[in-house]
Amino acid sequence: CGVEELAMQHYEQEERGRWKGIHCEGSPLRFLFSLLFWDVIFSSDVPDAFLTPFQDAPIDLDFHPFFYKRREALILARIADLELWSDQQLLLELRERWQQSFGTLCRGASWGSCSLSFLQLVALCLGGRRISAICRALCINYRHFSGGMPDLVLLRGRRRQRGGEGGGGGGEWED
């Protein structure tokens, strides 16, 4: 049992199960980048980015600053979108991109590692502005910033009242 699993056990017991975690080595953040920047990553407007159909990413993704400079307008437009999207729009975009690209080989998109609902939950917890900052960093230097991400993602549920404030008793848990 590693330190990440011990931390998850601690938080799950300490907070009566309100914390949920996944030991993921940053994969949800890279996965969000891959999905939300799919059309930027696979843009046909960038010549010689794909030399074979077997590449999981454009040839310049890992070479700072070429990926960013060759797609700067596309990247800045997507970052602006992310910063303006409502939570509902963010969820919709993730769902559409997941459905359109499911199973396609792409660096960062580890289809078996987490579900769409988990990615959507992480996205909601972070919000569009934070996701745009993470994605901007990955666009600028994917090789550097894709390492050193959190090993453990912890999400905490909170109590939501039914029937408005003071609606009496119960309430329900949400993630």
Side-chain angles (χ1 to χ4, degrees):
C1 187
V3 67
E4 291 84 2
E5 286 77 18
L6 290 173
M8 283 190 299
Q9 288 174 8
H10 168 77
Y11 281 104
E12 287 175 359
Q13 292 169 0
E14 187 71 23
E15 296 283 333
R16 297 182 313 266
R18 289 175 43 198
W19 285 92
K20 299 296 178 199
I22 180 174
H23 180 204
C24 58
E25 304 291 337
S27 64
L29 301 177
R30 289 187 298 273
F31 207 155
L32 286 171
F33 168 75
S34 296
L35 286 176
L36 294 170
F37 280 74
W38 194 275
D39 55 333
V40 174
I41 293 168
F42 291 101
S43 174
S44 59
D45 295 339
V46 180
D48 303 321
F50 288 90
L51 303 178
T52 76
F54 305 107
Q55 288 175 233
D56 67 349
I59 201 160
D60 58 354
L61 180 64
D62 286 326
F63 295 100
H64 167 71
F66 301 111
F67 179 82
Y68 184 87
K69 286 188 176 191
R70 295 177 74 192
R71 296 164 184 81
E72 187 171 8
L74 294 170
I75 291 167
L76 293 176
R78 178 54 41 82
I79 286 170
D81 289 342
L82 274 167
E83 291 177 352
L84 294 175
W85 284 344
S86 66
D87 288 348
Q88 204 59 26
Q89 183 66 32
L90 181 58
L91 294 176
L92 178 65
E93 293 289 335
L94 282 170
R95 179 180 293 117
E96 286 177 3
R97 292 163 198 271
W98 176 280
Q99 291 171 343
Q100 291 169 357
S101 54
F102 185 80
T104 303
L105 185 64
C106 176
R107 187 154 325 147
S110 47
W111 299 105
S113 70
C114 51
S115 66
L116 172 60
S117 61
F118 181 76
L119 286 175
Q120 288 175 319
L121 184 59
V122 171
L124 283 177
C125 288
L126 290 172
R129 286 193 176 277
R130 288 184 188 98
I131 293 172
S132 72
I134 292 166
C135 290
R136 180 189 309 258
L138 290 170
C139 285
I140 290 170
N141 193 336
Y142 188 88
R143 176 181 276 170
H144 177 74
F145 289 112
S146 64
M149 290 187 173
D151 291 349
L152 181 62
V153 172
L154 288 170
L155 304 169
R156 181 173 57 179
R158 64 176 183 223
R159 193 140 200 136
R160 180 178 66 191
Q161 292 290 353
R162 278 190 272 174
E165 273 189 67
E172 58 188 43
W173 291 102
E174 65 179 12
D175 287 329

